[in-house]
Amino acid sequence: MAELTTTLSGYGAAAAKKEQEKTAVREHDIAKADPVEYTFDVNGLDLYYDQTQALKDISMKIQKNQITALIGPSGCGKSTFIKTLNRMNDWIEGCHVTGQILFEGKDIFKEVDSLALRYRVGMVFQQPTPFPKSVFENVAYGPRIQGISNKKELEEIVEQSLRQAACWDEMKDRLHQSALGLSGGQQQRLCIARTLAARPSVILMDEPTSALDPISTQKIEDLALELKEKYTIVIVTHSMQQARRISDKTAFFLLGELLEFNDTIEMFTNPSNPKTEEYITGRFG
Amino acid sequence: MNSVQQKKRADNIMTGLFCAGAAFAVVLLIGFVGFVIIQGFGHMTMSMLSFSPTGLGNMFFNTLYLVLLALIASTITGVPAGIFLAEYAKQGRVTKWVRMAVETLASLPSIVVGLFGYLAFIVMTGSQWNLFAGSLAVSILTLPLVTSVTEDALRNLPDSYRQGSLGLGASHWQTIWRVLLPACFPRIMTGLIMAAGRGFGEAAALMFTAGMSTDIDWNNWDITSSSCPLNPFRPGETLALHIWALRTEALQPDAFQAAGASSAILMVLVVSFSLAARYLSWRIDKKMGGNR
Amino acid sequence: MNAIETAVLKAHRNEKAARFFITVCGIGMALVPFLIGGFLLIKGIDTFTLFGHSLGEFLFSGQWDPSDTAEGGGSVGAGIYISGSLVTCALALLITLPLSIATAIFMTEIAKPRTRRLIQPAIELFTGIPSVVYGWIGMTVLIPFLRLFFPMPFGFSVLAAGIVLAVMIFPTITTMAADAMNAVPKQWREASYGLGATRWETIAHVVLPAAKGGIFTGIILGLARALGEALAVAMVIGQMKEFPTSLFLPASTLTTAISADMGGAMEGGEYSAALWTMALLLFVLSFLFIFLIHQLNSATNLKGKA
């Protein structure tokens, strides 16, 4: 719980302490009701693009400080689902959602502001998305958006985030060069650092390694394993091996439905649904 | 066999015709620019270049000043209008309508815009000819260009900029202001340079707005005085308008030479701005190409 | 309130303000043509309402003698100017079209990419040359030249205006036509060559028909430019208030009449009202041109840039 309060307090304005404690108490009540800490609690989620239903009655609980992998063939809804978790789908015209997602006990569609939600739930995309700015400005972007303009503070955040993302040593000498000059793998790790700098508690990764070479992929996977100590990670992946290597829990999506959700080891050794078995053994996909 | 030969002959003849046509056109155009510049500078005298009532210096200054004002005016309205089209407007009926309006504006005869400017900025405000009214008229002419350049620049940005920023919790406007606009700044700049090129040569829109006289005193820096060069609410004749005025009103003995020199100066101004815009956009393309 | 809530609140507030400002600018800019049209209508309608002339008289009569008073009583037949505009534009098109198409074909079908990269910017450069410079060169070079070769009393003539306009619209039509031809898929050409067609046959039967829409768009844009050009034409056409009966005689157009007489006409008088009506006519025509291009584009689905 202490972990939760510190992250909640964000950049810790002293005046805001009282407010924090109040919410902490409420969080605490929810935590009491449920002995395991869940970051996300999804209940009966349906999602439509205009008339077509892209997600059908999804319910799952995503556990804190774990890596949850979402697998399934293309078009199964796993990317749509992960984008719903930080409401990136809001930007798509004609997309609407019914059902409930609780993030740390609060309904993300009713009780949480969408911007504040994205401060807490960061996202790393399939293609690296560096801005045409310097490395420093890229990483400092999130904090700046959140209203931090003190140079010293920004420098600290940038260094800390780059260290966490294991790219401080490569980038400390090129902080003020354009991020577009980095290699694909470096760009992706920079994007992870940029996400970390916004001080989220969750990192969503939408096929973060599908555009990268094996060595860069390895680095990102190692990084994910390290980061789960402090963060909850949800990762969409095409690669069964990747899900197997790094995730604690795996969810298998097919045609907009969540067919199976279980411990990764259990799922890969003893899948309960025949479709899951077909998919993970590579018979379709 | 015969028909094949005929076909080949026809092909050769047509190819020759196309080459000849293109060569004729290109030679004519290049010759045109060369002629204007060479004869203009050939006739140029030092007194013409002076900033005196008889020299072209004042008009040169008026041209630059008026275009600068026009660019400011069309930037503060045209760039937001471009953002509106690319980012905020719902695609469909509204954008179609706005875009049609932009195109209509772009194809309006400049004399019509000049008349509108006369009515709206001179008659209705009850003022005399002034540079400010002229610059507003010119800004109406450059507005569509600035708008469509901004819209295109925003649309051509990779979607990852938008995603990355929104994913970090930035609002739409923060994304536009902090990421998208800086990223397309060079392109918008290029558009503004092109717009400036158009503004330099504008005359018809200024006949009834900026006026055809200049009376300034380079020692007077009191901005409220009508003879202060920087006062935008004074009449000011531009180079292009000066050429028009010189055609009949033989005010000066060297009217012919002065018009030639004005043409040459204008031509150099326009060509160099256009080359600058081209160079800039070429550099952008090269840079963008290198990153993809 | 903590730092994050403050930041979120501020972001939302700024978003609202920015969206409002941007929307106002966007809609405002779209209203400008309507505003211009409205003003011209208010001024130009006087000819018909206040001074009681008919639309038929204005469009088709050649009796141009408006009185420069608020009482009116003159005649406002703008037929001279309308026909002058039409004839000069048609002449310009006639001169420039073969050259434009030839140059566009040369650039897209014949020239090597390197040559093309050199010619295209050169031609685009010419869209930016000030019209008064064209007029000035027309006056000082073209007119003495024409007088040397043709039997014309003044040199100032419909022909001179047509030539100057032709040079002015050449770049517009050429670049539009070249863009349209460039957009024709390469496979179509290859298919045509594969069937044994020569280059000319490929151009005539495949490329030109496919690029038709873009070429027409270019022609309309060129015409719009020619119709609206005032000063360059005024400098070479001689501004005689006569019907354009001969290529070698002076005449007048809508724009030259406005630029010559508006400055001297009394505000609120019949003369100035008639001139405003002519400006209104120009506005309506350029709107029609854009409308036509849109119809054309949606018909052929070949998108051209305006």
Side-chain angles (χ1 to χ4, degrees), chain B residues 248-268:
Chain B
T248 46
E249 301 155 29
L251 300 167
Q252 299 159 241
D254 61 345
F256 177 83
Q257 287 85 346
S262 305
S263 301
I265 295 171
L266 257 187
M267 192 72 115
V268 169

PDB file of all heavy atoms in Angstrom, chain B residues 248-268:
ATOM      1  N   THR B 248       1.893  55.225 -67.479  1.00  0.00           N
ATOM      2  CA  THR B 248       1.262  56.354 -68.149  1.00  0.00           C
ATOM      3  C   THR B 248       1.711  57.667 -67.573  1.00  0.00           C
ATOM      4  O   THR B 248       2.071  58.592 -68.286  1.00  0.00           O
ATOM      5  CB  THR B 248      -0.267  56.275 -67.998  1.00  0.00           C
ATOM      6  OG1 THR B 248      -0.550  55.988 -66.654  1.00  0.00           O
ATOM      7  CG2 THR B 248      -0.843  55.243 -68.921  1.00  0.00           C
ATOM      8  N   GLU B 249       1.748  57.686 -66.256  1.00  0.00           N
ATOM      9  CA  GLU B 249       2.037  58.956 -65.626  1.00  0.00           C
ATOM     10  C   GLU B 249       3.533  59.220 -65.723  1.00  0.00           C
ATOM     11  O   GLU B 249       4.298  58.770 -64.904  1.00  0.00           O
ATOM     12  CB  GLU B 249       1.600  58.911 -64.165  1.00  0.00           C
ATOM     13  CG  GLU B 249       0.129  58.618 -64.026  1.00  0.00           C
ATOM     14  CD  GLU B 249      -0.193  57.980 -62.692  1.00  0.00           C
ATOM     15  OE1 GLU B 249       0.527  58.241 -61.721  1.00  0.00           O
ATOM     16  OE2 GLU B 249      -1.165  57.207 -62.630  1.00  0.00           O
ATOM     17  N   ALA B 250       3.912  59.919 -66.730  1.00  0.00           N
ATOM     18  CA  ALA B 250       5.329  60.187 -66.910  1.00  0.00           C
ATOM     19  C   ALA B 250       5.747  61.294 -65.954  1.00  0.00           C
ATOM     20  O   ALA B 250       6.006  62.420 -66.352  1.00  0.00           O
ATOM     21  CB  ALA B 250       5.613  60.572 -68.351  1.00  0.00           C
ATOM     22  N   LEU B 251       5.770  60.921 -64.683  1.00  0.00           N
ATOM     23  CA  LEU B 251       6.083  61.919 -63.668  1.00  0.00           C
ATOM     24  C   LEU B 251       7.554  62.291 -63.721  1.00  0.00           C
ATOM     25  O   LEU B 251       7.953  63.386 -63.374  1.00  0.00           O
ATOM     26  CB  LEU B 251       5.765  61.370 -62.286  1.00  0.00           C
ATOM     27  CG  LEU B 251       4.308  60.982 -62.052  1.00  0.00           C
ATOM     28  CD1 LEU B 251       4.182  60.180 -60.779  1.00  0.00           C
ATOM     29  CD2 LEU B 251       3.436  62.216 -62.015  1.00  0.00           C
ATOM     30  N   GLN B 252       8.334  61.308 -64.119  1.00  0.00           N
ATOM     31  CA  GLN B 252       9.772  61.544 -64.078  1.00  0.00           C
ATOM     32  C   GLN B 252      10.332  61.420 -65.490  1.00  0.00           C
ATOM     33  O   GLN B 252       9.789  60.663 -66.298  1.00  0.00           O
ATOM     34  CB  GLN B 252      10.450  60.483 -63.199  1.00  0.00           C
ATOM     35  CG  GLN B 252       9.977  60.504 -61.772  1.00  0.00           C
ATOM     36  CD  GLN B 252      10.265  59.179 -61.095  1.00  0.00           C
ATOM     37  OE1 GLN B 252       9.368  58.499 -60.647  1.00  0.00           O
ATOM     38  NE2 GLN B 252      11.537  58.815 -61.054  1.00  0.00           N
ATOM     39  N   PRO B 253      11.394  62.097 -65.760  1.00  0.00           N
ATOM     40  CA  PRO B 253      11.995  61.973 -67.092  1.00  0.00           C
ATOM     41  C   PRO B 253      12.524  60.562 -67.351  1.00  0.00           C
ATOM     42  O   PRO B 253      12.513  60.087 -68.474  1.00  0.00           O
ATOM     43  CB  PRO B 253      13.125  63.005 -67.059  1.00  0.00           C
ATOM     44  CG  PRO B 253      13.355  63.321 -65.614  1.00  0.00           C
ATOM     45  CD  PRO B 253      12.059  63.098 -64.931  1.00  0.00           C
ATOM     46  N   ASP B 254      12.961  59.888 -66.290  1.00  0.00           N
ATOM     47  CA  ASP B 254      13.550  58.561 -66.486  1.00  0.00           C
ATOM     48  C   ASP B 254      12.556  57.462 -66.141  1.00  0.00           C
ATOM     49  O   ASP B 254      12.922  56.418 -65.617  1.00  0.00           O
ATOM     50  CB  ASP B 254      14.834  58.413 -65.659  1.00  0.00           C
ATOM     51  CG  ASP B 254      14.536  58.563 -64.175  1.00  0.00           C
ATOM     52  OD1 ASP B 254      13.444  59.056 -63.833  1.00  0.00           O
ATOM     53  OD2 ASP B 254      15.396  58.172 -63.366  1.00  0.00           O
ATOM     54  N   ALA B 255      11.253  57.701 -66.430  1.00  0.00           N
ATOM     55  CA  ALA B 255      10.212  56.742 -66.060  1.00  0.00           C
ATOM     56  C   ALA B 255      10.504  55.361 -66.625  1.00  0.00           C
ATOM     57  O   ALA B 255      10.360  54.353 -65.939  1.00  0.00           O
ATOM     58  CB  ALA B 255       8.855  57.234 -66.554  1.00  0.00           C
ATOM     59  N   PHE B 256      10.941  55.335 -67.881  1.00  0.00           N
ATOM     60  CA  PHE B 256      11.183  54.048 -68.526  1.00  0.00           C
ATOM     61  C   PHE B 256      12.255  53.259 -67.769  1.00  0.00           C
ATOM     62  O   PHE B 256      12.073  52.095 -67.422  1.00  0.00           O
ATOM     63  CB  PHE B 256      11.625  54.291 -69.966  1.00  0.00           C
ATOM     64  CG  PHE B 256      11.972  53.043 -70.698  1.00  0.00           C
ATOM     65  CD1 PHE B 256      10.981  52.263 -71.285  1.00  0.00           C
ATOM     66  CD2 PHE B 256      13.298  52.621 -70.797  1.00  0.00           C
ATOM     67  CE1 PHE B 256      11.297  51.105 -71.949  1.00  0.00           C
ATOM     68  CE2 PHE B 256      13.624  51.453 -71.457  1.00  0.00           C
ATOM     69  CZ  PHE B 256      12.628  50.700 -72.041  1.00  0.00           C
ATOM     70  N   GLN B 257      13.370  53.931 -67.489  1.00  0.00           N
ATOM     71  CA  GLN B 257      14.455  53.255 -66.785  1.00  0.00           C
ATOM     72  C   GLN B 257      14.029  52.849 -65.381  1.00  0.00           C
ATOM     73  O   GLN B 257      14.351  51.770 -64.899  1.00  0.00           O
ATOM     74  CB  GLN B 257      15.698  54.161 -66.691  1.00  0.00           C
ATOM     75  CG  GLN B 257      16.433  54.315 -67.986  1.00  0.00           C
ATOM     76  CD  GLN B 257      15.834  55.419 -68.851  1.00  0.00           C
ATOM     77  OE1 GLN B 257      14.724  55.903 -68.606  1.00  0.00           O
ATOM     78  NE2 GLN B 257      16.569  55.811 -69.883  1.00  0.00           N
ATOM     79  N   ALA B 258      13.287  53.734 -64.735  1.00  0.00           N
ATOM     80  CA  ALA B 258      12.860  53.437 -63.368  1.00  0.00           C
ATOM     81  C   ALA B 258      11.963  52.207 -63.338  1.00  0.00           C
ATOM     82  O   ALA B 258      12.091  51.344 -62.465  1.00  0.00           O
ATOM     83  CB  ALA B 258      12.136  54.641 -62.768  1.00  0.00           C
ATOM     84  N   ALA B 259      11.058  52.124 -64.318  1.00  0.00           N
ATOM     85  CA  ALA B 259      10.167  50.958 -64.354  1.00  0.00           C
ATOM     86  C   ALA B 259      10.968  49.695 -64.613  1.00  0.00           C
ATOM     87  O   ALA B 259      10.719  48.649 -64.007  1.00  0.00           O
ATOM     88  CB  ALA B 259       9.104  51.143 -65.429  1.00  0.00           C
ATOM     89  N   GLY B 260      11.946  49.794 -65.515  1.00  0.00           N
ATOM     90  CA  GLY B 260      12.792  48.640 -65.790  1.00  0.00           C
ATOM     91  C   GLY B 260      13.544  48.205 -64.547  1.00  0.00           C
ATOM     92  O   GLY B 260      13.598  47.019 -64.222  1.00  0.00           O
ATOM     93  N   ALA B 261      14.101  49.187 -63.834  1.00  0.00           N
ATOM     94  CA  ALA B 261      14.847  48.860 -62.620  1.00  0.00           C
ATOM     95  C   ALA B 261      13.923  48.251 -61.572  1.00  0.00           C
ATOM     96  O   ALA B 261      14.273  47.273 -60.903  1.00  0.00           O
ATOM     97  CB  ALA B 261      15.517  50.120 -62.069  1.00  0.00           C
ATOM     98  N   SER B 262      12.707  48.827 -61.439  1.00  0.00           N
ATOM     99  CA  SER B 262      11.754  48.268 -60.468  1.00  0.00           C
ATOM    100  C   SER B 262      11.432  46.823 -60.812  1.00  0.00           C
ATOM    101  O   SER B 262      11.378  45.955 -59.930  1.00  0.00           O
ATOM    102  CB  SER B 262      10.449  49.068 -60.468  1.00  0.00           C
ATOM    103  OG  SER B 262      10.700  50.417 -60.251  1.00  0.00           O
ATOM    104  N   SER B 263      11.198  46.583 -62.112  1.00  0.00           N
ATOM    105  CA  SER B 263      10.891  45.215 -62.530  1.00  0.00           C
ATOM    106  C   SER B 263      12.020  44.279 -62.140  1.00  0.00           C
ATOM    107  O   SER B 263      11.788  43.173 -61.644  1.00  0.00           O
ATOM    108  CB  SER B 263      10.703  45.144 -64.046  1.00  0.00           C
ATOM    109  OG  SER B 263       9.675  45.978 -64.449  1.00  0.00           O
ATOM    110  N   ALA B 264      13.253  44.723 -62.395  1.00  0.00           N
ATOM    111  CA  ALA B 264      14.402  43.872 -62.107  1.00  0.00           C
ATOM    112  C   ALA B 264      14.497  43.577 -60.616  1.00  0.00           C
ATOM    113  O   ALA B 264      14.728  42.438 -60.200  1.00  0.00           O
ATOM    114  CB  ALA B 264      15.678  44.534 -62.604  1.00  0.00           C
ATOM    115  N   ILE B 265      14.307  44.623 -59.792  1.00  0.00           N
ATOM    116  CA  ILE B 265      14.403  44.421 -58.346  1.00  0.00           C
ATOM    117  C   ILE B 265      13.323  43.440 -57.881  1.00  0.00           C
ATOM    118  O   ILE B 265      13.575  42.492 -57.127  1.00  0.00           O
ATOM    119  CB  ILE B 265      14.263  45.752 -57.590  1.00  0.00           C
ATOM    120  CG1 ILE B 265      15.437  46.671 -57.934  1.00  0.00           C
ATOM    121  CG2 ILE B 265      14.207  45.523 -56.083  1.00  0.00           C
ATOM    122  CD1 ILE B 265      15.274  48.072 -57.410  1.00  0.00           C
ATOM    123  N   LEU B 266      12.094  43.667 -58.376  1.00  0.00           N
ATOM    124  CA  LEU B 266      10.987  42.776 -58.014  1.00  0.00           C
ATOM    125  C   LEU B 266      11.293  41.342 -58.417  1.00  0.00           C
ATOM    126  O   LEU B 266      11.069  40.400 -57.658  1.00  0.00           O
ATOM    127  CB  LEU B 266       9.726  43.212 -58.755  1.00  0.00           C
ATOM    128  CG  LEU B 266       8.677  43.969 -57.978  1.00  0.00           C
ATOM    129  CD1 LEU B 266       7.445  44.143 -58.836  1.00  0.00           C
ATOM    130  CD2 LEU B 266       8.319  43.223 -56.714  1.00  0.00           C
ATOM    131  N   MET B 267      11.804  41.207 -59.625  1.00  0.00           N
ATOM    132  CA  MET B 267      12.088  39.885 -60.161  1.00  0.00           C
ATOM    133  C   MET B 267      13.108  39.171 -59.285  1.00  0.00           C
ATOM    134  O   MET B 267      12.929  37.999 -58.942  1.00  0.00           O
ATOM    135  CB  MET B 267      12.625  40.034 -61.583  1.00  0.00           C
ATOM    136  CG  MET B 267      12.683  38.763 -62.333  1.00  0.00           C
ATOM    137  SD  MET B 267      11.031  38.254 -62.757  1.00  0.00           S
ATOM    138  CE  MET B 267      11.112  38.360 -64.511  1.00  0.00           C
ATOM    139  N   VAL B 268      14.173  39.882 -58.920  1.00  0.00           N
ATOM    140  CA  VAL B 268      15.202  39.274 -58.080  1.00  0.00           C
ATOM    141  C   VAL B 268      14.594  38.863 -56.740  1.00  0.00           C
ATOM    142  O   VAL B 268      14.821  37.757 -56.232  1.00  0.00           O
ATOM    143  CB  VAL B 268      16.375  40.251 -57.863  1.00  0.00           C
ATOM    144  CG1 VAL B 268      17.310  39.736 -56.787  1.00  0.00           C
ATOM    145  CG2 VAL B 268      17.122  40.454 -59.162  1.00  0.00           C
TER     146      VAL B 268
END
